[in-house]
Amino acid sequence: MSQNAAPLTFEVTRRQDLRPDAEREAVLASPGFGTTFTDHMALATWTPGEGWHDARIRAYGPLSLMPSAAVLHYAQEIFEGLKAYRHEDGSVWSFRPEVNAARFARSACRLALPELPEGDFTGSIKALVEVDRDWVPAAGGEASLYLRPFMFASESFLGVRPAAEVTYGVIASPAGAYFKGGLRPVSIWVSEEYVRAAPGGTGAAKCGGNYAASLAAQEEASAHGCDQVVFLDGLERRWVEELGGMNLFFVFRDGRVLTPELNGSILEGVTRLSIIELAKEFGYDVAEARVSIEQWREGAASGEIAEVFACGTAAVVTPVGRLVWDGGEVTVGGGEVGEATARIRQALLDIQHGRTPDTHGWMTRLV
Ligand code: COI
């Protein structure tokens, strides 16, 4: 949909009531995931007549929406997830934001939302991180500032059609480990009742509806003592797709590395894409292919599948230690963090946190 000719300028209004330093430092010392937000947020508005306009940075706080806002009824909404990392010299960087921007544009297209140009996407995160730079955790650890760009139908209208007023925003939240307990192998429940996405649906788009559709299955996973749910394909209910919000990788004893191939209903993860490249460089025989749930169960039991890990911006690289289904379970990789998992995880974190040269040109300086 609409492209603006000139890049947006995010006008900054700094709040006077900044969170006290001691309070911010306490959050940064133990950030958790997704609970505390920085002092500001970015916002912009789109209408068919004006395109993107009114780009601004202002105090983080409630949005004013009519109860009739279309997003509340028809879920016309998309989002992204990326992080800002502080490097040893104090500078702040982001990992492949142009790939997130491109996916955001594809998601917008699928949800009939207006496209936000890549320069405005990166411009918005730069503007926000510039103002809230003190919220980026210190270098040296694994913590970062999680950035959540989002776009939704803010028009007050109950007819079912693409909204004629859309709001774009970015909020930011200091982030440590996504799973409680830090880095540890997680357990996965196989959802046999629910699917996350179907051919022709919105599975490849990063839209809230996909995550809403995963929640009942996630509840089922929790009820069975598992950390996450894995979804199978919607047609045959046989092929492994992804977790509730993460892609999957399988490491075989013979050095093969497989990740479920993109089929239109799997999210094209930025971390997934980067791991494919890194694993190839490490000499693994990497393929994007179909992996069946039987192959996972039997391969984990026989040891042919030596390691399984989940990946995503929030989860980074998280080992899987147990697969559970209705009537059985199997330990994966001895329930330990595997060698390939640990190596790939460390390599990725070292690039992101600036501890190793960025030979791929993946990092973009924000501040
Ligand atoms: C991310 O990894 O950024 C996501 O959006 C997934 C969600 C589970 C937090």
Side-chain angles (χ1 to χ4, degrees):
M1 292 169 93
S2 101
Q3 290 278 350
N4 286 43
L8 292 172
T9 300
F10 285 79
E11 296 295 339
V12 178
T13 309
R14 285 174 191 266
R15 69 190 300 167
Q16 299 307 308
D17 56 341
L18 292 177
R19 211 86 54 83
D21 289 352
E23 228 177 82
R24 190 184 62 246
E25 291 308 327
V27 172
L28 295 181
S30 177
F33 184 84
T35 51
T36 310
F37 298 89
T38 63
D39 287 312
H40 297 88
M41 61 185 175
L43 289 173
T45 306
W46 177 91
T47 56
E50 286 185 88
W52 286 108
H53 61 281
D54 199 14
R56 56 212 188 272
I57 302 288
R58 66 148 160 101
Y60 175 87
L63 298 173
S64 165
L65 273 188
M66 286 298 179
S68 48
V71 66
L72 300 177
H73 304 271
Y74 309 126
Q76 196 190 4
E77 186 270 354
I78 58 171
F79 68 96
E80 272 301 323
L82 67 168
K83 286 174 171 172
Y85 308 87
R86 189 178 298 283
H87 289 186
E88 208 52 65
D89 65 356
S91 58
V92 178
W93 300 71
S94 172
F95 181 72
R96 310 187 81 177
E98 68 286 353
V99 185
N100 290 93
R103 185 174 63 186
F104 199 53
R106 289 196 300 279
S107 299
C109 186
R110 179 63 185 85
L111 273 287
L113 284 162
E115 207 176 291
L116 183 75
E118 180 190 317
D120 294 330
F121 182 92
T122 40
S124 66
I125 63 170
K126 269 190 180 156
L128 180 59
V129 173
E130 166 84 41
V131 171
D132 279 342
R133 61 172 76 193
D134 290 346
W135 284 92
V136 183
E142 291 191 358
S144 57
L145 182 66
Y146 185 79
L147 302 168
R148 172 52 66 86
F150 58 102
M151 188 194 288
F152 63 91
S154 43
E155 184 188 2
S156 159
F157 178 61
L158 288 187
V160 182
R161 58 142 173 78
E165 185 201 294
V166 171
T167 298
Y168 169 69
V170 189
I171 54 174
S173 174
Y178 181 74
F179 289 102
K180 281 203 184 80
L183 178 65
R184 61 174 174 87
V186 295
S187 50
I188 306 293
W189 167 254
V190 183
S191 174
E192 283 165 290
E193 186 178 354
Y194 303 107
V195 294
R196 172 187 170 276
T202 56
K206 201 161 175 68
C207 63
N210 291 342
Y211 293 76
S214 78
L215 296 177
Q218 180 59 44
E219 289 276 287
E220 206 179 72
S222 304
H224 288 86
C226 292
D227 298 293
Q228 259 288 335
V229 56
V230 62
F231 290 100
L232 305 178
D233 74 288
L235 279 182
E236 294 181 64
R237 306 279 185 113
R238 176 170 182 218
W239 305 104
V240 174
E241 297 224 313
E242 62 177 274
L243 306 187
M246 290 146 225
N247 295 119
L248 273 172
F249 277 83
F250 298 84
V251 183
F252 289 73
R253 197 168 40 196
D254 63 8
R256 277 176 305 135
V257 171
L258 285 192
T259 187
E261 68 185 4
L262 300 176
N263 56 2
S265 61
I266 293 178
L267 188 79
E268 300 171 28
V270 180
T271 312
R272 175 188 179 279
L273 180 71
S274 310
I275 289 174
I276 291 173
E277 291 184 47
L278 285 177
K280 280 183 186 163
E281 287 165 21
F282 286 161
Y284 294 104
D285 174 11
V286 185
E288 297 177 68
R290 295 207 292 188
V291 180
S292 71
I293 191 66
E294 304 91 74
Q295 194 183 356
W296 185 354
R297 282 177 190 154
E298 288 161 20
S302 70
E304 195 204 347
I305 292 180
E307 303 175 35
V308 179
F309 62 85
C311 69
T313 298
V316 193
V317 169
T318 298
V320 173
R322 205 160 61 100
L323 181 70
V324 184
W325 60 92
D326 191 9
E329 66 172 81
V330 65
T331 301
V332 182
E336 306 288 334
V337 183
E339 197 183 309
T341 305
R343 186 176 178 204
I344 290 167
R345 181 175 186 279
Q346 198 56 50
L348 188 64
L349 284 168
D350 284 347
I351 295 170
Q352 293 171 332
H353 289 265
R355 297 188 284 257
T356 200
D358 173 26
T359 53
H360 305 86
W362 283 344
M363 303 304 292
T364 292
R365 186 164 180 173
L366 299 177
V367 176

